[in-house]
Amino acid sequence: MKSHYRIGFFLLLAPLGLWLALLVVIPHIDMLTISLRDRVAPREYVFSFVNYQEFFSEPLYWNTFVRTATMSITATVLTLLIAFPIAYYIAKVLRGRSKRLLFLMCLIPFWVSELVRTYGWMILLRETGVVSKILVWAGILDKPVEMLYNDAAIMTGLIYTSLLFMVVPLVTTLDSLDDSLIEASYDLGGNGFSTLREIVIPHAMPGIVSGSIVVFMLTLGNYLTPNLLGGKDSLWFTEQIYTQFITRFNWELGAAFGFLLLLLSSVIVFGGLKLSRQTLSEALK
Amino acid sequence: MIPSLPQPRAYRVTYKVYVTLFFVYLIAPLLVVAVFAFNDSLFPSLPWNGFTLDWFIGREQPRLGIFYDDPLLKSISTSAWVAVWVTLLSLLVGTCNAFLFEREQFPFRNLLYMLMLTPLVIPGVILGISILIFSNSLVNGIEELFGYEMETLRPGLALVVAGQFAFITTIATLVISARLRKFDASLEEAAMNLGASKLTAVFTITIPYLSPALLGAGIVAFLMSFENFNTTLMLVGSDAPLTITMFDRLREGSTPALNAVSLLLMAASGTLALFSILVQGGKDDV
């Protein structure tokens, strides 16, 4: 039976085609074309690279871009370092009911809006906030300290938002590691460190890669956390895009920024996939 | 490293302390949000001034409780309206996609599958601006051709629904596909042998089998839509959904009324989460 000539097939294909064409493919092509034009007179445009030139010649834009990328990479690495022992604990140390309970607890932030989570950090970290008051009360600080509006605050919030996306793939891959392999490693004279390096980490690699990719992407595209926890000086690239679009109404430059961010995210995602020899569909599972 | 291997006591204790600290970190921000919803003070901060329900049921400024805060209530209903549309549309398209990718063989299948996944890899802000640009081009094009201005495609709720639908559909597709993959197609053939048409077989056998996945995907879609901020921010018009309203108020300086909204949000999504775990956990791991 030649299935792709049946009417049912086209009825199934139509929603997919419409969705991808109208909301994903054409809008991005449109964004690219707008970023490649220059307004010479009202409603008159010419093809030009002027928006990209502006990006590279204005240090503020360029620096914000690099800063966003490095902060995102740092956040990804820190998230991995913090999440790995937790995932290992859940997957390999705990059994039964407590294992399920702790795993579900890791999912809690996912069910709570990012706005609420960030608001929680604001209450904790600001000058009149809980942490500062408790430290003063305990005698560690003389007077309240503003802990909001700096890079450490942004980092705390970003890692908090990302943890779940790292813990889940790590637990899934570590769960499939047979305990007897760890025992065998010890029998053959390995210690904790060498077992971790030779057995556990290579086995967990698919989880590490897919977790890192998702975390990096989400961090790079984040707007809320840097904006609220970092204040006016957070210098996050998505804020530049927002400013160009909504405040300055310079869509050409904003589109160029958007395209550059998309490019950066794709390059790093595909670099990560190539390095670990995975495909996107495996990583997103 | 694993319980069957002996480890020094210090190692085990350190590990336990680390795990405990981790969960303190995880719970702390949510806990303070919840607790300060009941603090009898104009600011969500210490000291604790005693318990009050004013931030829920206070009738006038400066202690306006959320049940009497009309703009806030309106934004909640706006969010719910958007979320219902996004959920229905993404379930519909997600189910079609699942049948397409699990049942059919056709040219460019892998390419389309990759394209189907891309909305998950595109940062939300960029998805938002690209849809904003394209809808603007559409409006301008239609205006030039027919002299008619399509107001629905200006920034507003229709675009918000479109923007959220654009990436939530991918998630719905993945959840529904995973369940459809486990379906034994011979059940459908049996129904057809007994005289059912293909469509009847699908609707009486396959769709009921998919229902836990549909419910699960529906709950996730609803919550993701309700809580979405990045894409919504770029597409919103004059009617603001809840996240946008809360964001504006947060920047103006907040009263514990925001804690009260947050607490209700957490309670609602927590209930939905529990419900979806019960629905899915009992039958299958989707």
Side-chain angles (χ1 to χ4, degrees):
Chain A
M1 189 166 70
K2 278 218 155 191
S3 61
H4 41 275
Y5 294 110
R6 283 186 294 111
I7 184 153
F9 168 73
F10 288 104
L11 281 179
L12 287 179
L13 189 65
L16 177 85
L18 283 175
W19 162 47
L20 289 178
L22 293 179
L23 293 175
V24 183
V25 179
I26 302 178
H28 283 89
I29 295 175
D30 208 12
M31 182 170 88
L32 182 63
T33 44
I34 283 197
S35 78
L36 285 171
R37 71 182 197 190
D38 185 26
R39 207 167 72 127
V40 285
R43 290 194 161 236
E44 222 174 289
Y45 300 96
V46 290
F47 179 87
S48 124
F49 286 104
V50 71
N51 299 307
Y52 291 91
Q53 277 160 9
E54 189 167 349
F55 167 77
F56 285 105
S57 57
E58 168 67 54
L60 174 68
Y61 301 150
W62 175 238
N63 287 340
T64 308
F65 189 74
V66 173
R67 174 183 144 86
T68 307
T70 43
M71 289 271 287
S72 299
I73 293 172
T74 316
T76 309
V77 173
L78 287 177
T79 308
L80 177 62
L81 292 179
I82 293 173
F84 197 87
I86 301 300
Y88 190 85
Y89 196 78
I90 293 173
K92 290 281 118 194
V93 181
L94 292 176
R95 292 281 176 268
R97 187 187 280 271
S98 55
K99 176 175 176 152
R100 266 202 306 278
L101 184 72
L102 243 63
F103 186 62
L104 284 181
M105 274 176 71
C106 287
L107 301 187
I108 289 175
F110 172 75
W111 297 103
V112 178
S113 159
E114 190 186 350
L115 199 83
V116 175
R117 289 179 247 155
T118 314
Y119 183 42
W121 281 110
M122 289 171 78
I123 296 177
L124 282 172
L125 294 180
R126 67 176 146 216
E127 195 177 346
T128 54
V130 176
V131 174
S132 165
K133 289 255 168 91
I134 286 178
L135 289 179
V136 170
W137 174 80
I140 298 170
L141 292 176
D142 305 332
K143 56 180 175 41
V145 169
E146 181 66 89
M147 296 181 209
L148 218 53
Y149 313 126
N150 57 47
D151 286 0
I154 299 180
M155 208 46 103
T156 311
L158 287 176
I159 292 171
Y160 187 82
T161 303
S162 310
L163 273 170
L164 141 91
F165 299 97
M166 194 64 94
V167 169
V168 173
L170 284 180
V171 169
T172 318
T173 48
L174 285 173
D175 241 349
S176 66
L177 173 66
D178 198 333
D179 280 0
S180 58
L181 289 174
I182 296 173
E183 286 165 350
S185 163
Y186 272 80
D187 286 345
L188 294 169
N191 55 27
F193 180 69
S194 63
T195 308
L196 189 69
R197 207 188 55 196
E198 306 281 340
I199 309 286
V200 180
I201 290 181
H203 183 88
M205 215 50 198
I208 293 176
V209 173
S210 48
S212 302
I213 286 178
V214 174
V215 167
F216 175 76
M217 256 175 39
L218 289 177
T219 314
L220 196 67
N222 201 323
Y223 177 88
L224 203 68
T225 305
N227 190 291
L228 287 177
L229 299 181
K232 263 185 277 179
D233 304 319
S234 59
L235 292 175
W236 209 255
F237 201 63
T238 46
E239 292 176 337
Q240 288 291 344
I241 297 178
Y242 181 83
T243 310
Q244 296 304 333
F245 264 87
I246 310 293
T247 322
R248 300 245 187 101
F249 218 70
N250 187 349
W251 283 25
E252 284 76 23
L253 191 59
F257 286 1
F259 192 74
L260 286 166
L261 190 68
L262 194 60
L263 203 67
L264 174 70
S265 143
S266 320
V267 164
I268 297 206
V269 167
F270 281 95
L273 288 174
K274 276 277 167 295
L275 271 180
S276 63
R277 299 198 187 83
Q278 284 197 68
T279 64
L280 185 64
S281 32
E282 282 168 28
L284 288 179
K285 247 169 209 168
Chain B
M1 300 207 64
I2 45 175
S4 60
L5 293 166
Q7 289 292 343
R9 199 181 135 77
Y11 170 85
R12 275 182 290 133
V13 171
T14 323
Y15 208 159
K16 277 224 171 96
V17 169
Y18 178 74
V19 174
T20 315
L21 282 177
F22 175 83
F23 282 100
V24 169
Y25 172 73
L26 211 59
I27 297 302
L30 307 180
L31 197 68
V32 291
V33 168
V35 167
F36 284 115
F38 302 104
N39 190 12
D40 195 0
S41 149
L42 286 179
F43 306 100
S45 63
L46 288 172
W48 181 257
N49 287 343
F51 180 87
T52 179
L53 283 177
D54 278 357
W55 303 113
F56 291 89
I57 52 173
R59 275 174 184 272
E60 54 204 294
Q61 293 287 4
R63 286 173 170 259
L64 189 60
I66 50 169
F67 293 129
Y68 295 95
D69 189 333
D70 291 331
L72 209 60
L73 289 178
K74 184 162 180 303
S75 73
I76 292 178
S77 70
T78 307
S79 279
W81 189 88
V82 169
V84 166
W85 276 108
V86 170
T87 307
L88 291 178
L89 285 172
S90 59
L91 281 185
L92 185 73
V93 177
T95 311
C96 289
N97 291 349
F99 274 94
L100 187 74
F101 286 116
E102 293 301 320
R103 294 285 177 85
E104 309 278 347
Q105 288 300 327
F106 51 95
F108 306 117
R109 182 175 174 276
N110 285 338
L111 182 76
L112 276 178
Y113 192 77
M114 287 293 287
L115 256 182
M116 188 275 290
L117 291 176
T118 44
L120 284 188
V121 208
I122 301 170
V125 171
I126 295 178
L127 201 61
I129 57 168
S130 68
I131 292 174
L132 180 68
I133 291 172
F134 177 54
S135 65
N136 186 59
S137 307
L138 263 184
V139 173
N140 290 345
I142 290 171
E143 206 178 351
E144 262 170 44
L145 279 177
F146 306 108
Y148 168 71
E149 199 184 330
M150 265 186 83
E151 278 298 327
T152 32
L153 290 180
R154 293 277 179 213
L157 293 185
L159 280 193
V160 171
V161 170
Q164 297 182 354
F165 163 78
F167 74 95
I168 291 177
T169 305
T170 305
I171 296 159
T173 305
L174 290 176
V175 174
I176 300 167
S177 297
R179 176 100 181 151
L180 186 60
R181 204 169 300 142
K182 294 190 189 121
F183 179 73
D184 184 357
S186 59
L187 289 174
E188 239 174 60
E189 282 161 26
M192 283 154 78
N193 280 339
L194 294 169
S197 69
K198 174 88 184 169
L199 219 55
T200 317
V202 166
F203 276 98
T204 50
I205 312 282
T206 322
I207 299 287
Y209 174 83
L210 289 180
S211 58
L214 288 173
L215 194 64
I219 290 174
V220 171
F222 188 88
L223 282 177
M224 289 194 88
S225 161
F226 209 91
E227 293 170 355
N228 181 269
F229 180 80
N230 285 353
T231 310
T232 310
L233 179 72
M234 309 306 294
L235 297 170
V236 76
S238 49
D239 292 326
L242 181 63
T243 44
I244 305 288
T245 310
M246 284 177 72
F247 179 70
D248 288 341
R249 292 207 183 179
L250 261 184
R251 289 207 291 196
E252 288 164 11
S254 54
T255 67
L258 277 186
N259 295 58
V261 187
S262 305
L263 182 63
L264 291 183
L265 268 181
M266 285 195 267
S269 52
T271 315
L272 276 178
L274 220 62
F275 182 64
S276 82
I277 288 165
L278 287 179
V279 166
Q280 304 212 331
K283 303 200 173 174
D284 216 334
D285 295 318
V286 176

